[in-house]
């Protein structure tokens, strides 16, 4: 069920993400390289597009839900989401999306550059370096 935003929400100021925060996140070259190493199923001999990857993952998700006996649900992967993953804006997609990506590429989370980027605790966030560990 969709809930319409209240009139107050429509006039709320936009939250600006500082450019320095956006630039601090490195691109996910592993996922991008994995996608670009595949050919489009269209027969064009071009690399697999972001939308083609999203479509393939959505098919995997549909099959996963059917096998598990879950009611069909809309799997929302699209070209924009794949782009966000490749740009590093999203580092740890939800469990089902990770499973679909792993199944499509027959790879691990680490192979695809997917890792949890949030600190375990506030104190570790303050003392840890900017680096990351692959999950």
């Amino acid at each position: 069920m969709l809930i319409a935003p209240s009139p107050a929400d429509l006039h709320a100021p936009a939250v600006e993400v500082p450019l320095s925060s956006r630039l601090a996140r490195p691109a996910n070259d592993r996922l991008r390289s994995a996608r670009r190493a595949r050919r489009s199923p269209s027969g064009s001999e071009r690399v697999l597009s972001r939308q083609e990857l999203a479509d393939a993952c959505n098919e995997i998700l549909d099959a996963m839900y059917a096998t598990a006996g879950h009611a069909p649900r809309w799997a929302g992967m699209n070209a924009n989401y794949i782009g966000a993953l490749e740009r590093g804006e999203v580092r740890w997609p939800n469990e089902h999306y990770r499973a679909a990506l792993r199944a499509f590429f027959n790879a691990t989370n680490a192979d695809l550059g997917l890792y949890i980027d949030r600190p375990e605790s506030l104190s570790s966030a303050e003392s840890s370096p900017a680096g990351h560990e692959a999950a």
Side-chain angles (χ1 to χ4, degrees), residues 31-51:
L31 180 60
R32 180 177 288 131
S33 294
R35 177 182 60 81
R36 294 184 61 80
R38 296 283 183 105
R39 294 288 165 234
S40 169
S42 69
S44 66
E45 294 301 315
R46 291 178 165 219
V47 300
L48 185 71
S49 73
R50 289 175 174 169
Q51 186 60 54

Side-chain angles (χ1 to χ4, degrees), residues 14-76:
V15 175
E16 180 80 24
V17 176
L19 182 59
S20 61
S21 294
R22 287 182 277 160
L23 294 178
R25 303 185 81 147
N28 185 340
D29 294 327
R30 289 181 182 189
L31 180 60
R32 180 177 288 131
S33 294
R35 177 182 60 81
R36 294 184 61 80
R38 296 283 183 105
R39 294 288 165 234
S40 169
S42 69
S44 66
E45 294 301 315
R46 291 178 165 219
V47 300
L48 185 71
S49 73
R50 289 175 174 169
Q51 186 60 54
E52 289 167 332
L53 174 56
D55 291 343
C57 287
N58 287 332
E59 287 179 21
I60 291 168
L61 289 167
D62 285 344
M64 283 173 33
Y65 298 144
T67 301
H70 294 288
R73 74 170 223 187
W74 179 70

Side-chain angles (χ1 to χ4, degrees), residues 22-135:
R22 287 182 277 160
L23 294 178
R25 303 185 81 147
N28 185 340
D29 294 327
R30 289 181 182 189
L31 180 60
R32 180 177 288 131
S33 294
R35 177 182 60 81
R36 294 184 61 80
R38 296 283 183 105
R39 294 288 165 234
S40 169
S42 69
S44 66
E45 294 301 315
R46 291 178 165 219
V47 300
L48 185 71
S49 73
R50 289 175 174 169
Q51 186 60 54
E52 289 167 332
L53 174 56
D55 291 343
C57 287
N58 287 332
E59 287 179 21
I60 291 168
L61 289 167
D62 285 344
M64 283 173 33
Y65 298 144
T67 301
H70 294 288
R73 74 170 223 187
W74 179 70
M77 291 184 87
N78 59 35
N80 291 336
Y81 188 76
I82 299 298
L85 289 169
E86 290 182 353
R87 288 187 300 274
E89 294 168 9
V90 176
R91 283 292 183 184
W92 191 244
N94 74 45
E95 174 185 351
H96 294 153
Y97 286 8
R98 290 191 316 271
L101 288 164
R102 286 191 311 262
F104 181 80
F105 289 112
N106 191 28
T108 66
N109 290 329
D111 292 339
L112 298 174
L114 305 176
Y115 61 88
I116 298 174
D117 64 346
R118 62 185 176 272
E120 290 182 29
S121 68
L122 182 57
S123 61
S124 66
E126 293 170 351
S127 63
S128 67
H132 63 270
E133 294 287 324

